[in-house]
Amino acid sequence: MIDTGNTAWLLMSAALVMLMTPGLAFFYGGMARAKSVLNMMLMSFSSIALVSVLWVLVGHSLTYAPGRGALDLFIGGLDHVGLADLVTGVDQEGGYPLLVDAGFQLMFAVITVALISGAIADRAKFGAWLLFVPVWALAVYFPVAHWVWGGGWISSLHEYTGLPEVIDFAGGTAVHINAGAAALALVIVLGRRKGFGSEGTRPHNMPFVLLGVALLWFGWFGFNGGSAYAADEQAALALVNTQVATAAAMVAWMLVERLRSGRISALGLASGAISGLVAITPAAADVTPVGAIVVGALAGSLCAYAIGWKFRFGYDDALDVVGIHLVGGVVGCLALGLVASSAVPGGEGGGILEGGGPGLLAAQAVSIVGVLLYSFAVTWLIAKVIDLIIGFRLPEEIETNGLDHELHSESAYSFDEFEATKDRTLSPSMPPGGEKASSRGGGSDLNVEVDASGPSTR
């Protein structure tokens, strides 16, 4: 029998998670160079298209269908290919249509792939990215998601080791550590951008960045709250924990930034928010609200330092996917070993601070290492093969001229129109009280000053 409340909550949560990928496009697009912003955003939108089709064809089945014998520890089977068998099915415990679950998890697959793109901004062939997306989803995301949620080795680790069950409520390993490790492998294969470490890297459009954060934060309530699979007290806890962990991470990032540079930036606030959202993802329903504040504060402070590692170690993680998603995911998963609570709805065992011993921490660490090493190694291999076949890195002249014009024959901003307007308004032949005066009367000031080099870019 259909539980309309649970079904409605899952439907809404799926829509919220879908909104996160366009939000990510704005977040990444705002941080990219002005001459490559459309390319950056298209990498997210193309992920929606490719992964959605692939998920229906085989992705959901490989993630959630039972595998064959011992293979089930690694990858699912083909029982749900095409999703035809789920069209009329209902989950007997939760009371929601099975197709709603498939749609909800589809959105997780989409955004996981899209997250990787931020690391390789300004230098990847778009055709190579379009090839990378389905191959990576098949070889990395679907198996790892099966490990965590589909009955694979992570979800059954306790049966073989005697350790407590691994906790990953909404995707700390399957989404964030997975994407972060893949991002690190990709940037190593593609190499550094021209001018890395010497040229300015400021975001070209901070309003885009803040809009993207707002959409991601909003969608994350569905990401975490929907993972309760019911409109109940666990979903309520996940929602509150998501909010306060994100807030605590922002505060921690602000403090670190103030101590290091004497200033607080909008980019720092935005990055702090994302680090908190990432870290609370695996822990959203297994810590108290105070525990969520601890998780967020740890993530905000540690990720604020981690984004600088790329300059120390020389890998060009353009938009800090490694520093925020990989590090934030590790922080959130490990923090559960410390602050997990048995007092929450469905809580089975506490962390070290509740007297639960080191077992949970050890189980979390094993899952982290397994996902990180697998994702990094297989992504490196995929990227190397693509690079050998069609080339993954763009020529330097295209990077210099801008990917939007060179690859897509489009531009996010019509700088030529601004220049033409500037020439008209500053023309010495303009009669007194002419165009400039009439523009004031019409309520539209056309006296736009644009530096010849264009706006500041990342």
Side-chain angles (χ1 to χ4, degrees):
M1 182 176 178
I2 295 291
D3 184 315
T4 55
N6 289 348
T7 301
W9 173 234
L10 275 176
L11 287 168
M12 186 172 73
S13 294
L16 287 170
V17 180
M18 189 277 163
L19 182 66
M20 292 172 67
T21 303
L24 183 73
F26 276 102
F27 180 65
Y28 281 171
M31 287 195 291
R33 301 176 189 268
K35 58 188 176 183
S36 301
V37 57
L38 291 180
N39 175 264
M40 189 71 261
M41 298 181 78
L42 286 175
M43 293 174 83
S44 288
F45 279 95
S46 62
S47 299
I48 298 175
L50 294 170
V51 178
S52 295
V53 173
L54 192 62
W55 182 261
V56 169
L57 295 178
V58 296
H60 181 78
S61 186
L62 291 175
T63 303
Y64 288 103
R68 298 295 180 263
L71 281 177
D72 187 46
L73 292 174
F74 180 75
I75 190 68
L78 300 175
D79 296 352
H80 304 319
V81 168
L83 303 186
D85 61 315
L86 303 183
V87 172
T88 59
V90 177
D91 183 273
Q92 297 304 311
E93 182 178 349
Y96 51 82
L98 295 178
L99 204 58
V100 175
D101 179 22
F104 180 56
Q105 290 299 329
L106 158 62
M107 308 309 174
F108 281 67
V110 167
I111 196 168
T112 303
V113 177
L115 285 173
I116 302 169
S117 64
I120 57 172
D122 299 319
R123 59 198 188 276
K125 289 182 179 179
F126 194 64
W129 171 254
L130 295 181
L131 177 58
F132 173 81
V133 167
V135 174
W136 189 85
L138 281 167
V140 182
Y141 181 77
F142 300 154
V144 173
H146 179 75
W147 299 353
V148 179
W149 297 314
W153 71 266
I154 289 179
S155 58
S156 57
L157 183 66
H158 62 287
E159 299 177 8
Y160 301 98
T161 63
L163 293 171
E165 288 190 48
V166 173
I167 299 174
D168 190 352
F169 184 69
T173 51
V175 176
H176 298 294
I177 293 174
N178 197 5
L184 181 59
L186 268 188
V187 300
I188 290 174
V189 172
L190 267 68
R192 307 173 188 176
R193 290 168 293 171
K194 178 184 176 183
F196 171 71
S198 60
E199 296 181 1
T201 57
R202 291 180 297 171
H204 92 278
N205 191 326
M206 274 308 304
F208 268 23
V209 174
L210 295 175
L211 173 62
V213 170
L215 293 173
L216 284 164
W217 196 335
F218 179 65
W220 227 291
F221 292 122
F223 196 88
N224 288 346
S227 294
Y229 279 88
D232 59 10
E233 65 274 18
Q234 192 177 56
L237 178 66
L239 184 146
V240 171
N241 283 348
T242 299
Q243 178 69 16
V244 299
T246 307
M250 292 175 71
V251 171
W253 195 296
M254 283 191 289
L255 289 173
V256 171
E257 199 170 45
R258 185 73 172 83
L259 291 171
R260 296 179 74 183
S261 66
R263 298 178 181 178
I264 295 173
S265 67
L267 181 60
L269 282 175
S271 301
I274 300 300
S275 67
L277 289 165
V278 169
I280 198 59
T281 293
D286 291 276
V287 298
T288 64
V290 172
I293 292 174
V294 173
V295 172
L298 286 172
S301 55
L302 292 175
C303 290
Y305 284 101
I307 60 171
W309 293 350
K310 61 185 178 183
F311 299 110
R312 178 180 300 177
F313 298 110
Y315 60 89
D316 186 6
D317 175 19
L319 307 183
D320 298 319
V321 181
V322 177
I324 292 178
H325 291 275
L326 177 57
V327 174
V330 170
V331 170
C333 288
L334 289 180
L336 277 162
L338 301 175
V339 298
S341 174
S342 59
V344 299
E348 296 182 0
I352 291 174
L353 296 182
E354 199 178 81
L360 178 58
L361 182 62
Q364 299 295 110
V366 170
S367 68
I368 290 169
V369 172
V371 171
L372 196 159
L373 292 178
Y374 177 82
S375 181
F376 179 88
V378 178
T379 303
W380 186 89
L381 181 61
I382 293 170
K384 274 292 187 182
V385 171
I386 292 175
D387 194 42
L388 288 172
I389 295 173
I390 63 173
F392 215 135
R393 177 70 185 262
L394 286 168
E396 187 175 294
E397 59 269 23
I398 294 180
E399 180 184 335
T400 300
N401 295 336
L403 278 62
D404 290 353
H405 174 73
E406 295 286 342
L407 300 184
H408 308 291
S409 299
E410 294 177 306
S411 174
Y413 307 101
S414 297
F415 295 120
D416 54 340
E417 294 181 8
F418 285 127
E419 289 295 337
T421 300
K422 176 184 174 183
D423 291 342
R424 289 197 302 271
T425 53
L426 298 181
S427 173
S429 62
M430 181 187 299
E435 184 178 354
K436 187 173 181 180
S438 63
S439 70
R440 284 201 191 97
S444 176
D445 187 359
L446 297 179
N447 189 20
V448 180
E449 294 188 9
V450 179
D451 187 273
S453 63
S456 298
T457 59
R458 184 175 178 84

